[in-house]
Amino acid sequence: MKTKLILAMIGLSIAASWTQQQSEIKKIEWLLGTWEAKTSKGSLYETWTRKSDTELQGKSYYLKQKDTILFESVRLVEKDKKLHYMVSVKGQHNEQPVDFVSTSTSMPHALIFENKENDFPQIITYKKIRKDSLFAEISGMMNGKMARQAFPMKKIQ
């Protein structure tokens, strides 16, 4: 009888931790789809897809005439009860991923990731404005001054 009770408690603990992991990814499902930002270089697109119950994958790219120019790829993964934004940017850091860790997941429509050791940016933010629009921003210190780059985006798919 004690063995069954212990096994049931272990099973419930595992199920509870799995549900908690699921809920963090569930909170950011609004990010899924293709988003467009108009920039001075043309239209920047960001596409997010579900890789698994605990990971989303993203890629940012420009369309220049009929060519697709990949800008960056991202893995958004839950590890150690935190979301990790692991970004590989073309031409930076030998194209190795840089890990930004979520600082807050308590706001259901905002994601904030930080890596104080990165050259620029140190902060990456996504804020859902409406179902079809979000505001993305990279910010931090650059050459001793605070710098920001904003990307208001519209959902196109």
Side-chain angles (χ1 to χ4, degrees):
M1 180 73 171
K2 278 187 175 180
T3 305
K4 285 183 180 179
L5 182 60
I6 290 171
L7 287 175
M9 289 174 59
I10 291 171
L12 284 173
S13 295
I14 291 169
S17 78
W18 184 75
T19 301
Q20 183 179 0
Q21 284 183 335
Q22 291 250 346
S23 67
E24 292 305 311
I25 291 297
K26 283 262 186 222
K27 287 179 188 176
I28 60 172
E29 283 184 336
W30 55 265
L31 197 55
L32 294 171
T34 299
W35 302 84
E36 179 183 22
K38 304 285 186 183
T39 73
S40 59
K41 296 178 185 177
S43 288
L44 171 68
Y45 297 91
E46 195 165 292
T47 299
W48 288 93
T49 57
R50 181 186 318 281
K51 166 93 173 165
S52 71
D53 287 341
T54 58
E55 180 177 347
L56 301 183
Q57 286 187 329
K59 64 179 179 175
S60 296
Y61 53 95
Y62 287 96
L63 289 180
K64 192 167 190 173
Q65 293 158 2
K66 293 186 179 186
D67 292 331
T68 301
I69 303 163
L70 184 64
F71 177 65
E72 65 185 15
S73 58
V74 181
R75 290 180 62 222
L76 190 48
V77 180
E78 184 171 352
K79 294 192 307 189
D80 307 322
K81 298 181 183 177
K82 293 273 190 181
L83 291 172
H84 290 254
Y85 186 98
M86 296 176 282
V87 59
S88 302
V89 180
K90 189 171 176 75
Q92 293 181 12
H93 303 283
N94 296 319
E95 299 186 21
Q96 295 300 306
V98 176
D99 190 7
F100 291 78
V101 181
S102 62
T103 57
S104 174
T105 56
S106 61
M107 296 181 292
H109 300 298
L111 299 166
I112 302 167
F113 303 95
E114 291 188 22
N115 179 335
K116 298 292 185 185
E117 304 303 314
N118 193 43
D119 49 359
F120 182 83
Q122 291 91 44
I123 301 170
I124 299 170
T125 306
Y126 286 86
K127 293 180 184 170
K128 179 180 176 182
I129 307 301
R130 287 182 299 281
K131 186 177 180 178
D132 67 342
S133 62
L134 67 79
F135 181 81
E137 180 180 75
I138 58 174
S139 61
M141 297 301 289
M142 186 167 41
N143 301 322
K145 295 181 180 176
M146 188 61 166
R148 287 184 154 70
Q149 192 168 4
F151 302 92
M153 305 186 100
K154 288 283 185 195
K155 192 168 196 173
I156 59 171
Q157 269 183 321

